[in-house]
Amino acid sequence: MQYRRFGKLDFMVSALGFGCMRLPTLGDQTRIDEPLAIQMIRHGIDNGINYVDTAYPYHGGNSERVLGQALLGGYRQKVKLATKLPVPQVKQYADFDRFLNEQLVRLQTDHIDFYLLHGLSRRTWEFARDLGVIGWAEGAMRDGRIGHLGFSFHDDNSAFKYIVDGYDNWALSQVQYNYVDQTYQAGTEGVHYAASKGLAVVVMEPLMGGNLARPADEVKAVFDRAQRKRTAADWALQWVWNQPEITLALSGMSTMRHVEENLASADRSGGNTLADDDLEFIEAARKVHAALVVVHCTECRYCMPCPNGLDIPLNFQWLNRAVGLRQMFHSRYAYRNAHAASQLASACIACRECEEKCPQHIPISDWMPIVDNVLGKGADYDPKMAPVGNGGSI
Ligand SMILES: NC(=O)c1ccc[n+]([C@@H]2O[C@H](COP(=O)([O-])OP(=O)(O)OC[C@H]3O[C@@H](n4cnc5c(N)ncnc54)[C@H](OP(=O)(O)O)[C@@H]3O)[C@@H](O)[C@H]2O)c1
């Protein structure tokens, strides 16, 4: 196992962390295959993993409970344990203590090493901050229930910087980051920003939730041309670890084979170790991914500002991820939890002001009801829905 310094803390963390959101299940997502999950987690720890990540809602609450069992028998002392305050479920100040105390019981421990505010957006950060979460967390750090405070994140880059700057003592930020998401959410810019401020940068979704491990045939063909043979998962993980600003990559491993393979990948990892031609293949793969998108919006933002407040490129980004990259669940979640309803496709009044400014000539006003139907109302996407002359979409 390779180890890296954890931001400004005096702690060397394994390059691979165990994400407990995708444990093996028995059909239903809430029914974890407990003996196998425990075996996998302990196998990871026995082979050098010293950071495990879970959260209150994973597997319907059972992830924390099963992880607590896996960490019995001396395993708790071998790892730093991260879990998260379910900010969207918080209604009042008393909920902070209520959730943390319940989590300590589920996890069978007296302290959480890294406690994260879960899935922050600008809106949920402002809500938690104004409710007093920082003062409360500092109290929990003083009484020993929490070691350090951090946050995980799902919003745009400006919101990321706003949150990083919103508190002086974040120990870590957890971001969605992989070779496709270089300009999505926090993106490379956010990763560099957080690292420059001394925050550990913990990567979630390094395989885009598994999508990069099962690439489209067109992407696979790019990697097949490389002389160095790697699995698609290894290409994606090495890209993350190649960046010295990254502290560790969490992977949600669902089988023992995933654990074995990702441990072996982590053994080979290192900052700035990929050859130039490796990076060229990854860039070529990223471009092929990009070519699979539905609407050829390049996010130049020439169309903005929308007089009605829509974030047009963001709506296209969600649709492209949903359809082209088969990220329907995530995209619908993002759409339905956007921090302002006015941002959404449903708010389009078809004034067509944006269309005059779009260099790709995308009929934006015709697309917006489609975006809302697919992401907001749950309709299946059918390529026949695409308007004529839609900026080169498939
Ligand atoms: N705080 C947040 O908002 C948030 C959000 C997301 C994630 N997280 C945390 O971050 C962790 C990592 O994110 P993630 O689970 O999305 O990670 P990921 O590594 O991007 O995706 C995990 C999935 O990738 C596939 N996979 C993993 N290793 C593989 C291998 N060697 N070969 C082939 N396929 C492989 C599996 O999918 P299949 O089984 O489908 O093949 C697995 O379920 C989560 O587990 C969770 O702890 C936090």
Side-chain angles (χ1 to χ4, degrees):
M1 179 58 67
Q2 300 291 319
Y3 293 86
R4 295 176 169 215
R5 184 162 298 283
F6 197 90
K8 55 193 164 205
L9 302 187
D10 184 19
F11 162 52
M12 296 301 283
V13 69
S14 49
L16 177 67
F18 207 119
C20 297
M21 191 178 80
R22 302 184 197 269
L23 296 171
T25 53
L26 302 166
D28 168 0
Q29 273 306 301
T30 63
R31 287 182 58 220
I32 297 171
D33 181 341
E34 298 188 14
L36 177 58
I38 291 170
Q39 201 191 352
M40 285 164 51
I41 294 166
R42 290 182 174 174
H43 184 71
I45 298 170
D46 289 339
N47 286 279
I49 288 180
N50 67 1
Y51 189 99
V52 290
D53 174 89
T54 182
Y56 187 83
Y58 294 171
H59 292 292
N62 288 320
S63 171
E64 288 185 330
R65 185 180 57 71
V66 171
L67 179 57
Q69 286 173 18
L71 295 182
L72 295 176
Y75 282 90
R76 175 68 185 91
Q77 290 70 34
K78 295 180 182 174
V79 295
K80 297 293 184 194
L81 170 58
T83 192
K84 311 183 189 90
L85 174 74
V87 176
Q89 296 183 50
V90 169
K91 301 281 180 277
Q92 54 191 348
Y93 187 87
D95 290 341
F96 298 145
D97 262 341
R98 183 170 67 78
F99 282 118
L100 174 58
N101 291 337
E102 185 184 348
Q103 290 171 295
L104 291 170
V105 172
R106 281 179 176 183
L107 285 157
Q108 303 194 46
T109 187
D110 61 0
H111 71 285
I112 309 294
D113 299 292
F114 295 104
Y115 199 56
L116 286 79
L117 308 186
H118 197 170
L120 288 188
S121 63
R122 183 184 291 265
R123 181 178 62 78
T124 58
W125 159 238
E126 287 177 344
F127 168 78
R129 180 197 63 194
D130 295 349
L131 197 58
V133 75
I134 294 294
W136 168 82
E138 288 182 338
M141 286 192 264
R142 278 194 299 277
D143 69 32
R145 287 177 296 163
I146 297 178
H148 301 276
L149 189 64
F151 67 94
S152 66
F153 178 78
H154 291 291
D155 200 342
D156 62 21
N157 180 265
S158 70
F160 182 72
K161 290 180 180 165
Y162 174 67
I163 296 170
V164 168
D165 292 341
Y167 177 51
D168 287 338
N169 283 320
W170 295 123
L172 72 149
S173 58
Q174 184 167 311
V175 296
Q176 172 172 337
Y177 193 55
N178 52 61
Y179 71 78
V180 172
D181 284 330
Q182 296 180 49
T183 57
Y184 186 62
Q185 298 192 0
T188 305
E189 200 185 321
V191 164
H192 288 191
Y193 190 73
S196 75
K197 298 265 172 176
L199 275 73
V201 181
V202 177
V203 167
M204 55 188 173
E205 311 205 31
L207 303 178
M208 238 180 150
N211 281 280
L212 301 185
R214 354 169 243 279
D217 290 346
E218 299 90 323
V219 175
K220 204 170 159 298
V222 172
F223 287 133
D224 285 347
R225 292 205 300 273
Q227 263 186 344
R228 285 180 205 80
K229 295 302 169 202
R230 309 175 197 271
T231 63
D234 190 47
W235 278 107
L237 288 170
Q238 297 302 345
W239 181 86
V240 170
W241 285 317
N242 193 52
Q243 298 171 63
E245 294 81 7
I246 300 299
T247 307
L248 76 146
L250 292 172
S251 185
M253 296 167 278
S254 321
T255 65
M256 189 59 94
R257 184 179 63 79
H258 293 160
V259 181
E260 299 278 11
E261 286 185 10
N262 296 353
L263 283 167
S265 289
D267 278 347
R268 295 190 299 273
S269 70
N272 293 320
T273 53
L274 286 182
D276 287 349
D277 60 336
D278 286 334
L279 292 170
E280 282 163 19
F281 280 115
I282 294 170
E283 176 57 10
R286 188 194 64 73
K287 284 186 175 148
V288 173
H289 257 288
L292 293 172
V293 297
V294 175
V295 187
H296 283 246
C297 167
T298 60
E299 297 178 43
C300 68
R301 302 187 77 83
Y302 280 29
C303 57
M304 298 291 287
C306 160
N308 218 34
L310 263 78
D311 189 331
I312 297 163
L314 185 62
N315 281 279
F316 283 144
Q317 193 179 72
W318 283 329
L319 184 70
N320 282 328
R321 295 173 68 81
V323 180
L325 301 181
R326 302 173 191 102
Q327 291 266 299
M328 190 59 83
F329 177 81
H330 281 73
S331 295
R332 283 183 176 151
Y333 181 86
Y335 185 88
R336 291 166 185 174
N337 288 281
H339 56 75
S342 60
Q343 279 191 308
L344 300 180
S346 54
C348 176
I349 56 163
C351 68
R352 299 191 186 272
E353 196 176 298
C354 50
E355 292 175 13
E356 291 161 23
K357 298 185 272 181
C358 173
Q360 314 296 327
H361 310 296
I362 298 170
I364 296 167
S365 312
D366 296 332
W367 269 110
M368 288 300 145
I370 299 167
V371 174
D372 186 53
N373 260 336
V374 174
L375 302 183
K377 302 195 174 82
D380 288 336
Y381 179 76
D382 179 341
K384 290 193 205 103
M385 289 172 166
V388 176
N390 64 23
S393 79
I394 54 172

